[in-house]
Amino acid sequence: MPSKVYFINARVEKFDYQYSVEGRLERILEKLNLRKYFAENELVPIKMHLGNPGAHHTIRPNFVRVVVDHLKKIKAKPFVTDSVRIKGYEYLETANRMGYNPMSLDAPVIIADGIFGSDSVKVKAGDLLKELFIPSAIYDASCMMVLSHVKGHIDSSYGGAIKNLAMGCVSAVPRGCKWSEGGRGKMHFQMGELMAWNNDLCTFCAICAHNCPMDAITVEGKSFVVDDDKCWRCGRCVRVCPEGALFVPLSMENFSIALAESTQAVLSTFKPGKVFYINFLFDMQPECDCMSMSDTPVVQDQGILLSDDIVAIDKASLDLITQAKPLPQSKAESLVIKEGLDVFSLLHGKDSKTQIETAEKFGLGTSDYELVNV
Ligand code: SF4
Ligand code: SF4
């Protein structure tokens, strides 16, 4: 049986609040009866990405507020959260600057694995990752609302709900552990050691050092040094190096398996039917929101998708993007879309569908969906 995915089209042609995207989001939340997922007095983590200094394409706070208001209306207790992506103290300030704070959202905004990013619980994962550490505010919760900003990604090409769970619901720096024993970097680096550095290509420009969230790279004169203990294997330095002097030997197949294993591990902490997903297909830039900048969107806004099936919602998101034309004045401007491929796959040179197909093989949902227009 196909999973239902509800679709709020970004096109609005009538001049009245009820036709607006926000108005239709309010209406569909009412109609969906979220009490099925979130009980009275139940604490509901609203998992999202809270931005990065320099990046500005994240989910607009007014949409998050609609979700908070609805959860409060059904007498659940929402709080907005993410795991540490840059140091926790700075991440909270970043969230505040992005407009995610208790005043704008009418809900607490907290770091799920604590201000130091080390408050997490070990869970079993699959054959590749073995075990992972889940932020305690997510592990201890009995349900979760997942808000994902859809965009591109360096390793998986496409970033949606699967990536939001797989990477965002895993601690980067579990207490007392090295990154390789359970941190998020396991997925980026897959048991490899530090990234490879090519002395011949390096111009010692220090862009990698400026983008490192852990100050793990020191570039002085003709010296390039990485502090193994500080590096949490986020891969940002590899992405930003203009010379291609940094390299991670990452297999797309292994990365997709890692994403599926991690998503499965995160979902294993909830009873079935206790996680709901909303994907926001706005401002779809080529890179992850972790970067220290945002580029112009590569396809036009598509709208909002809602579902309780993580595979179905990401498949529907990717299908909408695949049908969309690359936008002028964007990184995708000169792309010629090939049949069955989307702009993100073409931009990053990896097939976005792989993570969705792998997650389906793991039994996390179905790519057979019915799109219901709202
Ligand atoms: S960004 Fe690349 S070229 Fe610049 S210092 Fe780092 S490794 Fe070298
Ligand atoms: S992977 Fe690179 S950017 Fe990330 S923490 Fe390590 S050195 Fe810093």
Side-chain angles (χ1 to χ4, degrees):
M1 195 165 116
S3 286
K4 282 203 164 62
V5 179
Y6 298 88
F7 177 43
I8 302 169
N9 195 319
R11 287 299 315 275
V12 185
E13 295 180 82
K14 293 185 182 170
F15 299 95
D16 193 295
Y17 180 80
Q18 64 174 307
Y19 303 112
S20 70
V21 171
E22 194 175 311
R24 281 179 288 155
L25 178 60
E26 269 177 29
R27 256 204 327 280
I28 188 63
L29 289 173
E30 284 287 342
K31 217 167 145 187
L32 285 176
N33 183 18
L34 293 188
R35 287 182 186 85
K36 275 192 302 192
Y37 309 93
F38 311 114
E40 192 169 329
N41 287 325
E42 199 170 18
L43 281 162
V44 185
I46 298 180
K47 167 67 182 74
M48 47 183 298
H49 191 305
L50 300 171
N52 199 60
H56 59 275
H57 285 324
T58 50
I59 300 168
R60 294 193 176 100
N62 58 316
F63 292 139
V64 185
R65 177 64 184 261
V66 168
V67 176
V68 168
D69 286 349
H70 185 75
L71 288 169
K72 287 191 160 185
K73 200 169 168 188
I74 62 171
K75 299 196 170 15
K77 293 182 173 171
F79 63 93
V80 173
T81 195
D82 191 14
S83 55
V84 157
R85 291 177 183 271
I86 54 176
K87 289 174 187 166
Y89 190 84
E90 286 80 357
Y91 196 25
L92 278 178
E93 177 51 21
T94 299
N96 192 26
R97 288 172 71 113
M98 296 301 294
Y100 307 129
N101 56 55
M103 189 177 266
S104 61
L105 302 181
D106 196 25
V109 178
I110 67 156
I111 302 287
D113 45 6
I115 200 82
F116 295 102
S118 57
D119 183 5
S120 52
V121 181
K122 184 159 76 178
V123 301
K124 202 171 159 314
D127 293 341
L128 181 67
L129 299 173
K130 311 279 191 263
E131 59 189 32
L132 289 169
F133 284 76
I134 310 293
S136 63
I138 291 169
Y139 178 88
D140 289 331
S142 50
C143 58
M144 184 159 65
M145 172 68 89
V146 182
L147 308 190
S148 307
H149 173 226
V150 167
K151 68 270 172 182
H153 186 260
I154 171 182
D155 291 327
S156 58
S157 294
Y158 160 87
I162 292 171
K163 204 195 76 64
N164 195 359
L165 252 68
M167 309 295 287
C169 290
V170 172
S171 284
V173 278
R175 182 178 296 121
C177 288
K178 280 202 59 126
W179 68 275
S180 55
E181 294 167 324
R184 187 188 305 143
K186 258 180 154 179
M187 275 171 277
H188 280 130
F189 279 64
Q190 280 157 42
M191 322 304 170
E193 290 305 315
L194 283 169
M195 61 279 178
W197 173 67
N198 187 329
N199 187 11
D200 294 335
L201 294 177
C202 183
T203 57
F204 302 93
C205 65
I207 289 174
C208 53
H210 300 154
N211 279 275
C212 174
M214 296 305 292
D215 302 324
I217 302 177
T218 308
V219 179
E220 278 172 0
K222 297 280 175 196
S223 153
F224 173 94
V225 178
V226 184
D227 185 331
D228 191 9
D229 290 333
K230 281 189 182 171
C231 171
W232 65 18
R233 274 68 172 174
C234 69
R236 258 171 248 178
C237 52
V238 177
R239 183 70 188 103
V240 301
C241 174
E243 310 300 333
L246 296 172
F247 177 71
V248 181
L250 180 68
S251 116
M252 183 61 190
E253 193 196 344
N254 272 2
F255 187 68
S256 298
I257 295 169
L259 286 181
E261 279 191 7
S262 178
T263 303
Q264 192 172 43
V266 173
L267 289 176
S268 75
T269 70
F270 301 98
K271 287 187 180 148
K274 294 296 286 178
V275 183
F276 194 82
Y277 306 92
I278 308 182
N279 279 6
F280 292 82
L281 285 76
F282 290 97
D283 307 313
M284 290 180 279
Q285 59 158 337
E287 301 290 344
C288 181
D289 299 329
C290 291
M291 289 293 162
S292 56
M293 41 63 82
S294 290
D295 197 356
T296 52
V298 290
V299 287
Q300 188 53 273
D301 292 346
Q302 298 296 307
I304 300 177
L305 293 171
L306 306 91
S307 181
D308 59 9
D309 184 325
I310 191 169
V311 175
I313 197 168
D314 270 358
K315 177 70 166 59
S317 301
L318 199 53
D319 285 348
L320 286 170
I321 295 164
T322 304
Q323 290 154 21
K325 290 188 185 127
L327 281 177
Q329 299 181 310
S330 81
K331 200 172 181 177
E333 181 170 35
S334 56
L335 286 183
V336 179
I337 297 294
K338 299 182 184 119
E339 197 175 335
L341 279 182
D342 58 286
V343 287
F344 296 132
S345 296
L346 292 165
L347 281 170
H348 294 286
K350 297 157 192 159
D351 193 342
S352 300
K353 291 192 291 298
T354 312
Q355 60 176 293
I356 297 168
E357 289 162 358
T358 313
E360 187 171 22
K361 272 189 212 141
F362 272 62
L364 304 180
T366 175
S367 59
D368 181 17
Y369 67 88
E370 178 194 347
L371 200 65
V372 182
N373 282 294
V374 176

